[in-house]
Every structure is written in structure tokens, then in C-alpha cells.
Amino acid sequence: MSKTTVSASNAPVTAASHSDAIGHGNSPAAWTCVIVMLVGALVSSIAFVIASTPIFIAGIVVMVAGLIAGWAMRKAGYGVDGSKLKNAGH
């Protein structure tokens, strides 16, 4: 095994830097999608423990609704770099 070390100057250069936004989900659409889906997962988890199939399916429906809500909000301009989120200079 070699005992050579890699210095920062020899590190590979990547095309994107940390300041380049690649869509990490910091948008109202992403937050809404995740929160609604978490609620659906919580409902489904509780229903699984108490063995209630209708409530379990309702939780799955809530999760699908979260996906649809996030997609619709992104299309409406509330996604990353969306038209509704442009800074108006304030």
C-alpha cells in the first residue's frame, strides 16, 4: 500500500461548484410535496400497526396527492428557479 497523500491542489476539478444550484429542493413546491408525503407515510405506518387496510390505502392516496401537488406547484412556477420565486429587488 502506498503512503502518498493527495493534496487539495491535486484534487479533480468538477464542472459544477457548490454555488451552482442543481436543484436541491429549496422551493415551496418541494417542501409541500415532502410534508404532504410525510403525513401520508405517517398515516400508512399507523394503519399498518393497527392492521387497518382502508386507512393504510388512504395514507397511500395522501402520498400520491403529495406528488401531484408538488408537480402542480412546480409547473405553476413555485419550483427551484420558478417564475413566481424571482427576486423583485426588494
Side-chain angles (χ1 to χ4, degrees):
M1 218 159 156
S2 174
K3 293 189 179 211
T4 59
T5 59
V6 177
S7 66
S9 62
N10 294 340
V13 178
T14 59
S17 68
H18 185 68
S19 63
D20 296 336
I22 57 172
H24 286 277
N26 286 333
S27 69
W31 281 99
T32 301
C33 178
V34 168
I35 290 171
V36 172
M37 289 182 70
L38 282 173
V39 169
L42 177 65
V43 169
S44 289
S45 299
I46 292 170
F48 184 80
V49 171
I50 63 173
S52 175
T53 303
I55 298 174
F56 179 81
I57 292 172
I60 300 295
V61 169
V62 170
M63 286 192 277
V64 171
L67 281 174
I68 293 169
W71 175 81
M73 288 181 70
R74 185 184 63 161
K75 290 295 182 184
Y78 290 100
V80 174
D81 292 330
S83 62
K84 304 283 177 146
L85 300 178
K86 298 294 182 197
N87 190 356
H90 291 87

